[in-house]
């Protein structure tokens, strides 16, 4: 009998009181109206400017989690709050199965979702998620001594953008990685430090401001974008600015890292970042019950993938390394590389050949992945000591592309993130014939620049608005090459007073209901925008 009782106690202890990871999702955000009325309480001015320039309205995803909900969960005995996400309106928590399940009884809790999906109702993970003119001024050409790093940028024709002074100036890249030791002292990062291009960062793993710590992986990643050592190493965006976020705990593999990744992406959004780069991937975990399967790589299931999609919807370009699982049992891409809207980057060697370690596509739902390729085999990087040498992995092909995204976007500051990504894909050498190893291929950033400039020339020359001044009806003539057109008219306070979509080449809009005065129009088409003034008589 004692043996039976002991077995029963151990059974209850293991299944009722062992620590589990889970997410608790909330039903609402009661303070939404307050934040909509005071947007600077939730986003920086730079973030708001990015949203305005891309015509992205504020929505409930931008609203912080209701603090009273956080406080009550935090005060619950047996529950530890490890991370939070306003985008997904949830907290990452740790506790016993019993204590976690009890949270579902709270009136403001929508549901709880265990990282061990066999503990969830139905045994599956919940997927509930609400989801211009070019700068053509060419200054004095930049001439960098790329040294042995020349191949990894010349393969992309990125050096041609640098020669036209498109080096990432004015763009901000957030690097989500495992640590950045040596960046504060090593010589290849001296130029970044001298020019105040490192804007700050945060260590989400240790919950500290010391991000010049932990694993040296992030140091090497950063060097491919922002590093500078004359005649040795020049990054693809040497004049961009950077935030450095530690989200990866290199001592273990746990779903918490996905939650920290999303939390960092939200901070990047708040700070007005343009490009997120991450050379991290999530598939297998120390606890196999938490691990993903290939069927999860559908772009919307993994927590980090859901967050990455939302990051894109906020107007950022998210660049993700495909992973280094080529040739292994789990040969396919990991999360968040599977996310629908991220730019996933695989690896090639110096001769443009597929690198055998690079994870392959397609995604489980048969989308093209990876999207593009760059050098990842024997890429040149800087170590924390300042030593410059080679290393291999999609960890480096990803940031090489991310830096080029920033440099390319500098040339077209009014383009949306979707336009930037599309021009890059269309420039790639396998765009018309993608495959699971190579995706759309290696981008040609000079071709992307040329194509984008051509599209902007189309806007300025061929769109006409008449009559102006106007008494009643104004006409917008837009070439039929632009399939979908959205025309918005704003008053002098910046308030939208008319909004119409059209497939017609000529769209007539009545202004009879508007008072006399000055108005502004914005025409948005697939490959750009045009803004102008209207005088209503």
């Amino acid at each position: 009998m004692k043996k039976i009782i002991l077995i029963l106690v151990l059974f209850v202890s293991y299944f009722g009181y062992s620590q589990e990871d889970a997410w608790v999702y909330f039903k609402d955000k009661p303070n939404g109206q307050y934040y909509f009325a005071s947007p600077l309480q939730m986003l920086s001015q730079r973030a708001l400017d990015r949203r305005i320039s891309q015509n992205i309205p504020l929505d409930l995803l931008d609203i912080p989690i209701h603090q009273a909900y956080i406080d009550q969960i935090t005060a619950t005995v047996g529950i530890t709050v490890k991370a939070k996400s306003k985008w997904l309106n949830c907290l990452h928590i740790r506790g016993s199965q019993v204590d976690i399940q009890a949270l579902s009884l709270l009136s403001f809790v929508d549901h709880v979702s265990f990282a061990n999906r066999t503990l969830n109702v139905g045994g599956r993970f919940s997927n509930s998620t609400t989801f211009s003119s070019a700068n053509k001024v060419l200054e004095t050409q930049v001439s960098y001594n790329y040294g042995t790093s020349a191949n990894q940028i010349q393969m992309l024709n990125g050096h041609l953008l640098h020669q036209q002074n498109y080096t990432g100036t004015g763009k901000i890249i957030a690097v989500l990685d495992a640590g950045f030791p040596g960046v504060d002292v090593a010589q290849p990062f001296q130029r970044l430090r001298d020019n105040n291009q490192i804007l700050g960062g945060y260590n989400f793993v240790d919950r500290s401001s010391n991000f010049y710590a932990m694993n040296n992986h992030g140091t090497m990643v950063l060097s491919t974008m922002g590093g500078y050592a004359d005649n040795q190493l020049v990054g693809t965006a040497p004049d961009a600015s950077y935030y450095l976020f530690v989200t990866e705990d290199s001592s273990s593999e746990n779903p918490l890292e996905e939650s920290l990744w999303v939390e960092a992406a939200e901070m990047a959004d708040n700070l007005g970042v343009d490009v997120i780069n991450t050379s991290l991937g999530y598939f297998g975990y120390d606890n196999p019950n938490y691990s993903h399967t290939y069927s999860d790589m559908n772009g919307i299931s993994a927590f980090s993938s859901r967050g990455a999609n939302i990051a894109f919807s906020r107007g950022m370009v998210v660049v993700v390394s495909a992973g280094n699982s080529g040739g292994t049992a789990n040969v396919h891409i990991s999360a968040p590389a599977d996310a629908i809207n991220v730019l996933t980057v695989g690896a090639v060697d110096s001769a443009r050949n597929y690198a055998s370690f690079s994870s392959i596509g397609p995604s489980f739902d048969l989308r093209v992945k990876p999207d593009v390729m760059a050098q990842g085999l024997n890429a040149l990087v800087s170590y924390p000591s300042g030593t410059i040498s080679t290393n291999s992995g999609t960890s480096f092909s990803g940031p090489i592309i991310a830096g080029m995204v920033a440099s390319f976007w500098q040339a077209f500051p009014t383009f949306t993130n979707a336009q930037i990504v599309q021009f890059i894909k269309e420039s790639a050498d396998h765009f018309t014939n993608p495959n699971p190893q190579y995706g759309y291929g290696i981008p040609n950033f000079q071709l992307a620049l040329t194509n984008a400039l051509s599209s902007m020339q189309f806007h300025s020359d061929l769109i006409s608005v008449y009559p102006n001044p106007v008494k009643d009806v104004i006409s917008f003539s837009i070439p039929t090459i632009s399939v979908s057109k959205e025309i918005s008219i704003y008053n002098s306070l910046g308030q939208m007073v008319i909004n119409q979509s059209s497939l017609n080449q000529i769209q007539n809009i009545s202004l009879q209901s508007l008072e006399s005065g000055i108005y502004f129009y914005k025409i948005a088409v697939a490959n750009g925008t045009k803004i102008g003034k209207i005088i209503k008589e």
Side-chain angles (χ1 to χ4, degrees), residues 386-399:
T387 299
I388 294 173
S389 185
T390 59
N391 208 321
S392 297
T394 60
S395 289
F396 309 117
S397 58

Side-chain angles (χ1 to χ4, degrees), residues 147-161:
T148 47
S149 72
N151 190 75
Q152 60 200 43
I153 185 170
Q154 290 175 356
M155 178 186 296
L156 306 169
N157 272 340
H159 64 298
L160 300 180
L161 266 65

